Short mmCIF file of all heavy atoms in Angstrom, two decimals:
data_model
loop_
_atom_site.label_atom_id
_atom_site.label_comp_id
_atom_site.label_asym_id
_atom_site.label_seq_id
_atom_site.Cartn_x
_atom_site.Cartn_y
_atom_site.Cartn_z
N LEU A 46 166.92 -124.03 -54.51
CA LEU A 46 166.83 -125.18 -55.42
C LEU A 46 168.00 -125.21 -56.40
O LEU A 46 168.49 -126.29 -56.74
CB LEU A 46 165.52 -125.11 -56.20
CG LEU A 46 164.24 -125.45 -55.42
CD1 LEU A 46 163.01 -125.11 -56.25
CD2 LEU A 46 164.22 -126.92 -55.02
N LYS A 47 168.45 -124.05 -56.82
CA LYS A 47 169.55 -123.98 -57.79
C LYS A 47 170.92 -124.03 -57.13
O LYS A 47 171.94 -123.98 -57.83
CB LYS A 47 169.42 -122.69 -58.62
CG LYS A 47 168.19 -122.67 -59.52
CD LYS A 47 168.07 -121.34 -60.24
CE LYS A 47 166.85 -121.33 -61.14
NZ LYS A 47 166.69 -120.01 -61.83
N GLY A 48 170.97 -124.12 -55.81
CA GLY A 48 172.24 -124.16 -55.11
C GLY A 48 172.95 -122.83 -55.04
O GLY A 48 174.16 -122.78 -54.75
N GLN A 49 172.23 -121.74 -55.27
CA GLN A 49 172.84 -120.41 -55.21
C GLN A 49 172.99 -119.92 -53.77
O GLN A 49 173.76 -119.01 -53.50
CB GLN A 49 171.99 -119.42 -56.02
CG GLN A 49 171.95 -119.75 -57.51
CD GLN A 49 170.94 -118.91 -58.26
OE1 GLN A 49 170.04 -118.31 -57.67
NE2 GLN A 49 171.06 -118.88 -59.58
N ILE A 50 172.21 -120.50 -52.87
CA ILE A 50 172.35 -120.25 -51.43
C ILE A 50 172.38 -121.59 -50.72
O ILE A 50 171.95 -122.61 -51.27
CB ILE A 50 171.20 -119.37 -50.87
CG1 ILE A 50 169.84 -120.03 -51.11
CG2 ILE A 50 171.25 -117.98 -51.47
CD1 ILE A 50 168.68 -119.28 -50.49
N ASP A 51 172.90 -121.60 -49.50
CA ASP A 51 173.00 -122.84 -48.74
C ASP A 51 171.80 -123.07 -47.84
O ASP A 51 171.40 -124.21 -47.57
CB ASP A 51 174.26 -122.82 -47.87
CG ASP A 51 175.52 -122.64 -48.71
OD1 ASP A 51 175.75 -123.49 -49.59
OD2 ASP A 51 176.25 -121.67 -48.50
N MET A 52 171.22 -122.00 -47.35
CA MET A 52 170.06 -122.09 -46.47
C MET A 52 169.19 -120.86 -46.67
O MET A 52 169.70 -119.77 -46.94
CB MET A 52 170.50 -122.19 -45.01
CG MET A 52 169.34 -122.29 -44.02
SD MET A 52 169.86 -122.66 -42.32
CE MET A 52 170.65 -121.10 -41.86
N GLY A 53 167.88 -121.03 -46.55
CA GLY A 53 166.99 -119.89 -46.68
C GLY A 53 165.76 -120.06 -45.81
O GLY A 53 165.36 -121.18 -45.47
N LEU A 54 165.17 -118.94 -45.45
CA LEU A 54 163.86 -118.96 -44.80
C LEU A 54 162.86 -119.05 -45.94
O LEU A 54 162.39 -118.05 -46.47
CB LEU A 54 163.67 -117.68 -43.99
CG LEU A 54 162.39 -117.59 -43.14
CD1 LEU A 54 162.33 -118.71 -42.12
CD2 LEU A 54 162.30 -116.24 -42.45
N VAL A 55 162.55 -120.28 -46.33
CA VAL A 55 161.83 -120.50 -47.59
C VAL A 55 160.45 -121.12 -47.35
O VAL A 55 160.22 -121.80 -46.34
CB VAL A 55 162.63 -121.41 -48.54
CG1 VAL A 55 163.93 -120.75 -48.95
CG2 VAL A 55 162.90 -122.77 -47.90
N PRO A 56 159.53 -120.91 -48.28
CA PRO A 56 158.22 -121.55 -48.21
C PRO A 56 158.37 -123.07 -48.15
O PRO A 56 159.11 -123.66 -48.95
CB PRO A 56 157.53 -121.11 -49.50
CG PRO A 56 158.22 -119.83 -49.89
CD PRO A 56 159.64 -120.01 -49.47
N VAL A 57 157.69 -123.72 -47.22
CA VAL A 57 157.89 -125.15 -47.01
C VAL A 57 157.39 -125.99 -48.18
O VAL A 57 157.76 -127.16 -48.30
CB VAL A 57 157.23 -125.62 -45.70
CG1 VAL A 57 157.88 -124.93 -44.51
CG2 VAL A 57 155.72 -125.40 -45.72
N ALA A 58 156.57 -125.41 -49.07
CA ALA A 58 156.10 -126.17 -50.23
C ALA A 58 157.24 -126.51 -51.18
O ALA A 58 157.05 -127.33 -52.09
CB ALA A 58 155.02 -125.38 -50.97
N VAL A 59 158.41 -125.92 -50.97
CA VAL A 59 159.56 -126.25 -51.82
C VAL A 59 160.15 -127.62 -51.47
O VAL A 59 160.85 -128.23 -52.28
CB VAL A 59 160.65 -125.15 -51.71
CG1 VAL A 59 161.42 -125.27 -50.39
CG2 VAL A 59 161.62 -125.21 -52.88
N ILE A 60 159.84 -128.13 -50.30
CA ILE A 60 160.47 -129.37 -49.82
C ILE A 60 160.33 -130.53 -50.80
O ILE A 60 161.32 -131.23 -51.09
CB ILE A 60 159.92 -129.74 -48.42
CG1 ILE A 60 160.48 -128.77 -47.37
CG2 ILE A 60 160.25 -131.18 -48.04
CD1 ILE A 60 159.91 -128.96 -45.97
#
Side-chain angles (χ1 to χ4, degrees):
L46 287 170
K47 293 176 180 178
Q49 296 171 342
I50 58 176
D51 301 302
M52 180 172 71
L54 185 60
V55 296
V57 298
V59 76
I60 288 175

